[in-house]
Amino acid sequence: MSGLCPAPEPREPQGNIVIAAPRGWCAGVERAVEIVERTLQRHGPPVYVRKQIVHNLHVVRGLEEKGAVFVESEDDVPRGAVCVLSAHGVSPAVHQNAARRGLTVVDATCPLVTKVHVEARRFAAGGKTIFLIGHASHEEIEGTAGEAPDQTIVIERPEDIDAAGVVDPAAVAYLTQTTLAVDDTAEVVEALRKRFPGLAGPRLDDICYASQNRQLAVKALAARSDIVLIVGSDNSSNANRLVEVAREAGAPAWLVEDERSIEAPWLEGTTVVGVSSGASTPGVLVERVVSWLRDRGYAGVEELAVATEDVRFPLPAGLD
């Protein structure tokens, strides 16, 4: 007797699916995954990857099947081996340790994260205290803070500012994680400006174009939908922010790893299901969710586009 679940019985049409655009992989994620694949082709397996290359379990499993070995630290990589650094960036201390261990390092840091690191070094060189807005446990924040650990204060919300202690108001700057919610971040920056009128900031917004575009799309999606499903992994910051954005816009929203995570009771009484995905989510997972919904009577599929993207980042020298 087969252990496979039977296919659902065909149902009468009961609603429609609206899919946000843009969604899914951004240029930085596409670049990072391609870097691992090309490094495997050039050096052969195993190729070691420090942390998850991007925060999506399906991507990690797929690369493991090709010969990538994911480790928590450069200390877990055999001396002299090839080590790819994840898209989220690392501190200078990691680079130094990798060099001491004789590792062949391939840096897959997203160029937009690299830009924040450059800004951190610039502010630190100018003697400023840096308020780094983001989630303290996130790898991107760990890497950026590592550029100037003695001058960086990580905060997540306005009330964290008061806990920072004594800060010279004439020498203060801020930077942000690239995957934050735009509206929430603006609130924190405004609180900082009220406290420190001379606050310096990045020349351009640190929140990446992909996060901003996906959040705008999900806001529009939430206005059209009875429920919103965001496809992405639990540890994906940008995917979690999309869930928050949808809920703040008034729609019930859930984060799902894939179609197997959807709970049927969520759909009761719904006629329009909105679907989007985080910037590290492969497009095939959205296709699987849409197929699952169509099998259950959501017959129409419409794309809701709010922006177009044509950004591409070059590969590191030697892999292009």
Side-chain angles (χ1 to χ4, degrees):
M1 181 174 178
S2 172
L4 296 176
C5 296
E9 292 292 328
R11 298 186 182 183
E12 293 296 320
Q14 65 183 45
N16 297 311
I17 306 163
V18 181
I19 311 175
R23 61 184 178 276
W25 277 10
C26 64
V29 167
E30 185 174 354
R31 174 181 181 270
V33 173
E34 188 172 359
I35 284 172
V36 177
E37 292 175 337
R38 292 204 180 195
T39 302
L40 282 163
Q41 293 169 5
R42 180 175 181 181
H43 295 278
V47 162
Y48 293 84
V49 184
R50 186 184 185 276
K51 306 288 188 179
Q52 291 188 357
I53 185 68
V54 297
H55 285 159
N56 186 272
L57 188 59
H58 289 268
V59 171
V60 169
R61 295 291 178 262
L63 291 172
E64 283 178 334
E65 292 174 359
K66 296 178 180 180
V69 178
F70 290 86
V71 297
E72 281 301 304
S73 167
E74 67 281 3
D75 287 326
D76 301 321
V77 180
R79 289 183 177 275
V82 178
C83 178
V84 179
L85 304 178
S86 81
H88 308 104
V90 300
S91 70
V94 171
H95 284 284
Q96 293 161 8
N97 192 32
R100 283 194 297 268
R101 295 180 55 78
L103 305 182
T104 298
V105 171
V106 182
D107 193 349
T109 302
C110 174
L112 298 180
V113 174
T114 299
K115 178 181 76 71
V116 182
H117 282 234
V118 171
E119 291 164 344
R121 294 195 293 269
R122 176 169 63 89
F123 286 139
K128 296 186 183 298
T129 296
I130 303 166
F131 281 93
L132 179 57
I133 305 170
H135 307 293
S137 61
H138 195 278
E139 291 153 38
E140 183 182 330
I141 289 294
E142 292 174 358
T144 303
E147 293 287 354
D150 295 334
Q151 294 171 246
T152 302
I153 300 170
V154 178
I155 61 173
E156 291 191 31
R157 51 189 67 84
E159 50 266 36
D160 295 337
I161 299 170
D162 291 333
V166 179
V167 175
D168 180 0
V172 181
Y174 82 91
L175 295 170
T176 81
Q177 186 175 326
T178 62
T179 54
L180 299 179
V182 174
D183 293 343
D184 292 345
T185 304
E187 182 182 354
V188 181
V189 173
E190 180 61 26
L192 281 169
R193 290 198 186 283
K194 287 182 179 178
R195 177 74 174 274
F196 306 106
L199 181 74
R203 294 189 178 96
L204 298 172
D205 287 342
D206 284 341
I207 298 176
C208 81
Y209 77 94
S211 293
Q212 295 189 51
N213 286 344
R214 281 150 188 73
Q215 289 172 31
L216 286 172
V218 164
K219 282 185 181 180
L221 187 69
R224 294 273 308 275
S225 307
D226 299 315
I227 183 176
V228 173
L229 301 177
I230 303 297
V231 189
S233 290
D234 288 341
N235 63 336
S236 169
S237 175
N238 71 85
N240 278 284
R241 301 297 79 75
L242 294 180
V243 173
E244 295 171 359
V245 166
R247 289 174 177 170
E248 290 170 1
W254 303 93
L255 180 66
V256 296
E257 184 78 46
D258 51 40
E259 77 284 359
R260 295 169 296 182
S261 305
I262 303 172
E263 298 185 19
W266 298 344
L267 303 176
E268 290 179 2
T270 63
T271 56
V272 179
V273 178
V275 178
S276 190
S277 60
S280 51
T281 304
V284 66
L285 299 183
V286 173
E287 295 171 8
R288 283 167 48 178
V289 166
V290 169
S291 178
W292 188 94
L293 290 167
R294 295 189 73 170
D295 287 343
R296 284 152 183 81
Y298 294 87
V301 179
E302 173 190 351
E303 184 169 83
L304 177 63
V306 303
T308 57
E309 295 177 349
D310 57 3
V311 178
R312 290 278 299 175
F313 294 133
L315 296 173
L319 293 180
D320 50 8

